Amino acid sequence: MTAYTVFTRLRRRNQAELDHYGKQAASFLAGHEIKWLAPFGRPFEVVEGPGAEGVALLEFPTLAAARACNTSPAYQKASEHRFRGGDYGAMIVDGAASERLGSPTGDRPLPGSQFKRRYGRQLAGWRRMAPSGP
């Protein structure tokens, strides 16, 4: 089942290190089946919690494929430059979990209109309380 890797850039500290990391991307991504759903630089909105400077979302065919990319020696070596260049967070999300759980409460899948009816007011309240985006 599909899996996702979510990267958040909280703060840049050294652009030269980030540039070095970026130049290595083609080599450490080679051989991994990745679909870039939202690369860094795309607009995003913080609707809850602390802000970030950037967000990237990658899709992998399986949870194992996402883990393999993240733990590959080439990626681990290149990521040292990313760590020196800024403060980042990364997480792998099992996309199959949403199919098993259905709705956010885990009871059953909800079509979009039912989701909006059930959670719309709550989501609108969260958006009003969230800090403004970058």
Side-chain angles (χ1 to χ4, degrees):
M1 292 306 219
T2 306
Y4 305 92
T5 298
V6 181
F7 287 97
T8 57
R9 183 180 61 242
L10 305 173
R11 180 174 61 119
R12 286 180 215 214
R13 289 184 278 110
N14 185 325
Q15 189 61 47
E17 289 286 349
L18 294 176
D19 292 344
H20 188 73
Y21 168 78
K23 290 175 186 171
Q24 296 180 42
S27 64
F28 67 72
L29 296 176
H32 297 283
E33 189 177 335
I34 299 171
K35 182 177 180 183
W36 286 87
L37 299 179
F40 280 110
R42 301 283 305 198
F44 68 94
E45 177 183 357
V46 176
V47 294
E48 190 172 334
E53 287 183 0
V55 177
L57 178 62
L58 289 70
E59 180 182 280
F60 293 86
T62 64
L63 187 59
R67 287 180 177 146
C69 183
N70 186 260
T71 59
S72 72
Y75 175 75
Q76 290 298 310
K77 183 173 172 51
S79 67
E80 293 173 12
H81 296 284
R82 185 170 49 85
F83 297 141
R84 287 194 291 262
D87 299 327
Y88 283 79
M91 59 210 80
I92 296 174
V93 181
D94 181 359
S98 63
E99 295 172 14
R100 289 191 301 270
L101 297 176
S103 74
T105 58
D107 51 2
R108 68 182 189 286
L110 295 174
S113 60
Q114 288 180 3
F115 181 89
K116 188 172 182 179
R117 275 197 303 275
R118 183 180 284 186
Y119 299 106
R121 222 178 267 156
Q122 187 176 6
L123 290 171
W126 289 337
R127 286 189 182 105
R128 282 192 300 273
M129 295 183 318
S132 60

